[in-house]
Amino acid sequence: MLKVENVSQEFQLRDHLGRKRVKLALKGVSLALATGEILGIAGESGSGKTTLAKVILRLLEPSSGTVYFQGRDVYRLSRRELFKFRRQAQIVQQNPDAALDPLMTVEQVIAEPLLIHRLVDKADLKQRVVELLKSVNLNEEVMAGYSHQLSSGQRQRVAIARALALMPQLVIYDEPVAFLDAHLRLRLLKLLLDLRRRLNLSYIFISHDLAVLRLVSDRIAVMRNGVILETAPTEKFFAEPVHVHSRQLISNAPS
Ligand SMILES: Nc1ncnc2c1ncn2[C@@H]1O[C@H](COP(=O)(O)OP(=O)(O)O)[C@@H](O)[C@H]1O
Ligand SMILES: [Mg+2]
C-alpha cells in the first residue's frame, strides 16, 4: 500500500559564523508497507525518523526520491486526490497537544475532521464522536471538557480518536507512548494493535524503544544517520540481527 523509493532529504543550515552547511537527514531511503502490516522504525534521536514520516505524509517535500501510496505518486496528486490523501494517511505525534486545539472541547476536536471531510450528517455527528471515544476506551463524559483537563494518556487517546475519525488506511505513530508511564504505555499499545486488527489499518510505528517495537511490529527497520541499515521480520531481527549497530541497539535495550 506504501512504497518509499530512494528518498533523500537535505536541509540548508548556517553555522555560528553564518556559513552555509548542508545536513543530509535522509540518504536514499527505501521501504515498503503492506496493507494491515505494522512496520517499526528504530533509531537513535536525530537518525531521521521524523523527517521520513513527514516526507511520507507530504508534510515535507524530499530533495529527491518518490513516495507511492496505493500506487500513486504522493507528490503528483491533483487537488482532489491530495484532499483524499489527507484523510487516508494520518500521523499521531509524541506530543498529543500538537493535534489538540486548547480552545476546542473534546467533542469539537473529534468532530472537526468529520465535518471538514463531510463524513457524517450533522444529525449523526454526536453519536459518531461517542463511538470514536469508545473505540479508544474513553467515556463520553470527557466530551464537554477541554483537552488540558485530561491526563496525558487520555489526551493521546483523544488525538488517536481524531486521527481515526477520518477512517484512514495508514497511520504513522511518531513516538506515541514516549510520555506515558510503563503501565499506560502497555495499555495504549494493546489498544493500537486491537484497532489495527478491527479496522485493517497499516501502521508505521516509530520509536527509539526496541521493547515497544518488539511488541507491536511485524517487521523492524533500523535507521542511523539518515540511512536504513537493515529491515527484517521482528523475530528474525531479534534472533539474528545482521548489522553491528542493530546488535548494539538490542544489547543496550532494557529487557
Ligand atoms: N527543519 C529542519 N532543518 C534543519 N535540520 C533539520 C530539520 N529537521 C530535522 N533536521 C535535522 O535532521 C536530522 C534528523 O532529524 P529527525 O528526523 O527529527 O530525527 P529523529 O526523528 O530520528 O530524532 C537531525 O540532525 C535534525 O537536526
Ligand atoms: Mg523524531
Side-chain angles (χ1 to χ4, degrees), residues 44-51 94 174-175 206:
E44 297 153 342
S45 167
S47 55
K49 305 181 301 295
T50 296
T51 303
Q94 175 173 14
D174 191 356
E175 309 266 8
I206 296 171

Coordinates of all heavy atoms in Angstrom, one line a residue, residues 44-51 94 174-175 206, ligand 2:
E44 N 18.2 6.0 16.9 CA 18.5 7.0 17.9 C 17.9 8.3 17.5 O 17.6 8.6 16.3 CB 20.0 7.1 18.1 CG 20.7 5.9 18.5 CD 22.1 5.8 18.1 OE1 22.5 6.5 17.2 OE2 22.9 5.0 18.7
S45 N 17.9 9.2 18.5 CA 17.4 10.6 18.2 C 18.3 11.2 17.1 O 19.6 11.0 17.2 CB 17.5 11.3 19.5 OG 17.4 12.7 19.3
G46 N 17.7 11.9 16.1 CA 18.5 12.5 15.1 C 18.8 11.6 13.9 O 19.5 12.0 12.9
S47 N 18.3 10.4 13.9 CA 18.6 9.5 12.8 C 17.8 9.7 11.6 O 18.0 9.1 10.5 CB 18.5 8.0 13.3 OG 17.2 7.7 13.8
G48 N 16.7 10.5 11.7 CA 15.9 10.9 10.5 C 14.5 10.3 10.5 O 13.8 10.4 9.5
K49 N 14.1 9.7 11.6 CA 12.8 9.0 11.7 C 11.6 10.0 11.4 O 10.7 9.7 10.6 CB 12.6 8.4 13.1 CG 13.7 7.4 13.4 CD 13.5 6.7 14.8 CE 13.4 7.7 16.0 NZ 14.6 8.4 16.3
T50 N 11.6 11.1 12.1 CA 10.5 12.1 11.9 C 10.5 12.7 10.5 O 9.5 12.9 9.9 CB 10.6 13.2 13.0 OG1 10.4 12.6 14.3 CG2 9.5 14.2 12.8
T51 N 11.7 13.0 10.0 CA 11.8 13.5 8.7 C 11.2 12.5 7.7 O 10.5 12.9 6.8 CB 13.3 13.8 8.3 OG1 13.9 14.7 9.3 CG2 13.5 14.4 7.0
Q94 N 4.3 12.4 19.1 CA 4.7 12.2 20.5 C 3.9 13.0 21.5 O 3.4 12.5 22.5 CB 6.2 12.5 20.6 CG 6.7 12.4 22.0 CD 8.2 12.6 22.1 OE1 8.9 13.1 21.1 NE2 8.8 12.3 23.2
D174 N 4.5 8.5 15.7 CA 5.9 9.0 15.9 C 6.1 9.1 17.4 O 5.7 10.1 18.1 CB 6.1 10.4 15.2 CG 7.5 10.8 15.2 OD1 8.4 10.0 15.8 OD2 7.9 11.8 14.6
E175 N 6.7 8.1 18.0 CA 7.0 8.1 19.5 C 5.7 8.3 20.3 O 5.7 9.1 21.2 CB 8.0 9.1 19.8 CG 9.3 9.1 19.0 CD 10.4 8.2 19.6 OE1 10.1 7.5 20.6 OE2 11.5 8.2 19.1
I206 N 7.1 4.5 14.9 CA 8.4 5.0 15.2 C 8.7 5.0 16.7 O 7.9 5.5 17.5 CB 8.6 6.4 14.6 CG1 8.4 6.4 13.1 CG2 9.9 7.1 15.0 CD1 8.3 7.8 12.5
Ligands
MG2 MG 11.7 12.4 15.9

